[in-house]
Amino acid sequence: MELYLDLRSQPCRSVFMFAKLNAIPFDFKLVDLAKGEQYGEEFGKISPVRKVPVMKDGDFVLTESVAILQYLAEKHASRLPDHWYPADLRQRARVNEYLSWQQMNLRAHGSKVFLLKVGRRHYPFNTSLSTSALYVRVFVEELSQTVDVLDKYFLGEKLFLCGASISLADLVAVAEIMQPVSSGVDVFSGRPKLSAWCERVKKEVGVALFDEANAAIMTSGGVPQSLREAGLPQIFKDKFKKTFL
Amino acid sequence: MELYLDLRSQPCRSVFMFAKLNAIPFDFKLVDLAKGEQYGEEFGKISPVRKVPVMKDGDFVLTESVAILQYLAEKHASRLPDHWYPADLRQRARVNEYLSWQQMNLRAHGSKVFLLKVGSFKFVVVVEELSQTVDVLDKYFLGEKLFLCGASISLADLVAVAEIMQPVSSGVDVFSGRPKLSAWCERVKKEVGVALFDEANAAIMTSGGVPQSLREAGLPQIFKDKFKKTFL
């Protein structure tokens, strides 16, 4: 089984952590997003959608981290603890509910904040600096409201997002939340319950694996030295335009 | 079982079509988004997230249309055809792959196009963005198959057709120049049944989805807020 990953990408981190934590063997195939490798010919043959992560299990190619996690959890269900993706109809529905909600919420808003905060140091916005600062404030506020829903609706008084044990939902959530956090937005400030949850997830994952997964974004806010010198490649500029129009 | 719905909303339509088509009994609870009923006290007690659709099965309340579809398909698996949400690991993965991808792609872009004013600069840009997304739907997901995930209809097709009707209802013809996709849509309509398909889409096909009352009164504050958030 091969996993095509760049650990700067949140969806890659959740798949990486899940596979490693559960001793699911795989070949790590780096697709360096900063170098634009997702647009190369080789990766295009693996996946014409040109996004990461991609899983190649024998001849079966699958995109979308949520689908990959569900596939791996179901494939290895007989030897993994049930809590990752419970067999019970309602418990599973709770995990699916989170996996669905997070796409256009924590994932979308966390990504926007990360892109804006990291990118505006390097990308010459057409708008004035004061306007981009306004964008940052608005998107950070939007993220804050989303994190409130995570904290109050999904976590509530529970130990983990979907119950007393860790599940796919917690891995996906912690991978997403590290993105804006790595760019300097402290979402845990004033949210002790959420902070405790994050520590709990870190403990379940294991500090070594957690740090390994997050190393790429914790360095220089996710932007490698080469990029700082060369300037952002066109692909990032295009992504900026599309995200912030 | 109760379903809290407004059929102007794409996720509500896919859940509605799936339940009706498969004779899953439910009480239709209207949450009129144009009147801001999702912000009312009553609905807040059902779901603090204040979005539709919401399913209430006995004491079990579930949000997120994708999760509701997966739940209903799994709950009724013993009496429904397997193709809706196949038991086979890889076939199911294909359906999950589409259900995941569509959130930030067809759903996101189709919604943007629907919400924006026809003819503005931003409208032109989001229509192009939608077009690229529909190309992925057409070439990557549909390909040469009859339906998105194989030879038979699945949850993916219902969700996709519900989403695609949103920009179509505001006059953006995504099927033009895409005969394969157009044929797929007709095929899905036939599986769903024209009567049910039309019933599901009636709310948005009227006046481009904006009811007469709104046109006269002007958009309420909730829509203005939604606009700001979506298009800042």
Side-chain angles (χ1 to χ4, degrees), chain B:
Chain B
M1 200 257 282
E2 296 165 354
L3 290 174
Y4 292 78
L5 308 168
D6 181 328
L7 296 181
R8 285 185 204 100
S9 142
Q10 310 91 298
C12 288
R13 291 199 291 275
S14 39
V15 173
F16 177 77
M17 284 190 287
F18 184 72
K20 284 217 114 174
L21 188 51
N22 290 298
I24 297 170
F26 67 92
D27 288 335
F28 187 118
K29 301 285 201 179
L30 177 66
V31 182
D32 194 330
L33 301 180
K35 293 183 183 163
E37 282 180 1
Q38 70 275 40
Y39 297 109
E41 206 183 309
E42 223 180 287
F43 186 64
K45 289 178 192 157
I46 302 292
S47 173
V49 182
R50 296 183 177 281
K51 296 209 162 153
V52 283
V54 177
M55 178 200 78
K56 193 169 181 292
D57 193 11
D59 59 349
F60 184 63
V61 176
L62 188 64
T63 67
E64 294 295 316
S65 64
V66 166
I68 294 169
L69 288 166
Q70 290 164 324
Y71 172 87
L72 291 175
E74 285 177 330
K75 182 176 184 183
H76 297 274
S78 57
R79 71 166 183 87
L80 293 184
D82 177 71
H83 59 69
W84 283 113
Y85 195 44
D88 174 74
L89 181 69
R90 290 184 176 189
Q91 289 176 46
R92 177 167 289 204
R94 285 274 165 254
V95 179
N96 284 336
E97 184 186 36
Y98 183 76
L99 295 176
S100 172
W101 173 85
Q102 61 92 27
Q103 300 263 20
M104 290 182 73
N105 290 276
L106 188 59
R107 167 151 183 65
H109 300 159
S111 297
K112 267 201 221 175
V113 167
F114 178 77
L115 283 174
L116 268 179
K117 181 190 165 90
V118 176
S120 66
F121 169 70
K122 278 190 182 175
F123 181 80
V124 169
V125 172
V126 299
V127 164
E128 174 52 32
E129 195 180 48
L130 174 67
S131 181
Q132 290 170 16
T133 294
V134 174
D135 279 341
V136 177
L137 175 71
D138 190 10
K139 294 170 188 171
Y140 178 75
F141 284 102
L142 181 61
E144 301 302 316
K145 308 192 295 296
L146 291 174
F147 294 92
L148 294 180
C149 299
S152 306
I153 196 171
S154 71
L155 296 181
D157 302 282
L158 282 190
V159 169
V161 86
E163 291 296 341
I164 217 160
M165 288 311 293
Q166 208 80 352
V168 165
S169 76
S170 63
V172 178
D173 185 8
V174 299
F175 297 114
S176 167
R178 295 185 178 104
K180 256 193 323 101
L181 196 71
S182 187
W184 160 81
C185 189
E186 291 306 308
R187 224 171 275 132
V188 175
K189 238 190 257 193
K190 197 168 161 219
E191 287 290 317
V192 169
V194 173
L196 176 57
F197 189 88
D198 288 347
E199 186 187 358
N201 289 293
I204 53 158
M205 294 314 286
T206 318
S207 316
V210 181
Q212 196 60 26
S213 55
L214 271 185
R215 290 177 179 282
E216 285 150 9
L219 287 181
Q221 192 57 38
I222 44 154
F223 283 119
K224 292 179 183 171
D225 294 340
K226 184 161 190 160
F227 261 67
K228 276 195 209 151
K229 283 177 63 171
T230 309
F231 298 110
L232 180 69

Side-chain angles (χ1 to χ4, degrees), chain A:
Chain A
M1 200 257 281
E2 297 166 351
L3 289 175
Y4 292 78
L5 309 168
D6 181 328
L7 296 181
R8 285 186 205 101
S9 143
Q10 309 91 299
C12 289
R13 291 199 291 275
S14 39
V15 172
F16 176 78
M17 285 189 287
F18 184 71
K20 285 217 115 174
L21 188 51
N22 291 298
I24 297 170
F26 68 92
D27 289 335
F28 187 118
K29 301 285 199 177
L30 177 66
V31 181
D32 195 330
L33 301 179
K35 292 183 184 165
E37 282 180 3
Q38 70 275 41
Y39 297 110
E41 206 185 308
E42 222 181 286
F43 186 65
K45 289 178 192 157
I46 302 291
S47 173
V49 182
R50 295 182 177 282
K51 298 212 163 153
V52 283
V54 176
M55 177 200 79
K56 193 167 180 291
D57 192 10
D59 59 347
F60 185 63
V61 177
L62 188 65
T63 67
E64 294 295 316
S65 65
V66 167
I68 294 169
L69 288 166
Q70 291 166 322
Y71 173 86
L72 291 175
E74 286 178 329
K75 181 176 184 184
H76 298 273
S78 56
R79 71 166 183 88
L80 293 185
D82 177 69
H83 59 70
W84 283 112
Y85 195 44
D88 174 77
L89 181 68
R90 291 184 175 188
Q91 288 176 47
R92 176 167 291 202
R94 285 275 166 254
V95 179
N96 284 337
E97 184 186 35
Y98 183 76
L99 295 176
S100 172
W101 174 86
Q102 61 92 27
Q103 300 265 19
M104 288 184 75
N105 290 277
L106 188 59
R107 169 154 180 63
H109 301 158
S111 297
K112 262 201 228 177
V113 168
F114 174 79
L115 271 180
L116 198 55
K117 290 210 76 178
V118 168
R120 67 194 280 263
R121 298 176 210 148
H122 309 282
Y123 178 55
F125 268 74
N126 288 333
T127 56
S128 71
L129 197 61
S130 61
T131 313
S132 66
L134 170 67
Y135 273 116
V136 171
R137 275 205 305 280
V138 170
F139 291 135
V140 167
E141 172 54 31
E142 191 181 50
L143 174 65
S144 180
Q145 289 170 17
T146 295
V147 175
D148 279 341
V149 177
L150 175 70
D151 190 12
K152 294 169 186 171
Y153 178 74
F154 285 102
L155 181 61
E157 302 302 318
K158 307 193 295 297
L159 290 174
F160 294 91
L161 294 180
C162 299
S165 304
I166 195 171
S167 71
L168 295 181
D170 303 280
L171 282 190
V172 169
V174 87
E176 290 297 340
I177 219 161
M178 288 311 293
Q179 206 78 354
V181 164
S182 75
S183 69
V185 178
D186 185 9
V187 300
F188 298 112
S189 168
R191 295 186 177 102
K193 258 195 319 102
L194 196 69
S195 187
W197 160 81
C198 189
E199 290 307 307
R200 223 172 277 131
V201 174
K202 238 188 258 192
K203 198 170 159 214
E204 288 289 317
V205 169
V207 172
L209 176 56
F210 189 88
D211 287 347
E212 185 188 359
N214 290 293
I217 53 157
M218 295 312 287
T219 318
S220 316
V223 181
Q225 194 62 25
S226 55
L227 270 185
R228 292 171 178 279
E229 285 150 9
L232 287 180
Q234 193 57 39
I235 45 156
F236 284 120
K237 293 178 182 175
D238 294 340
K239 185 160 189 163
F240 259 66
K241 277 194 206 151
K242 283 177 66 171
T243 309
F244 298 114
L245 180 69

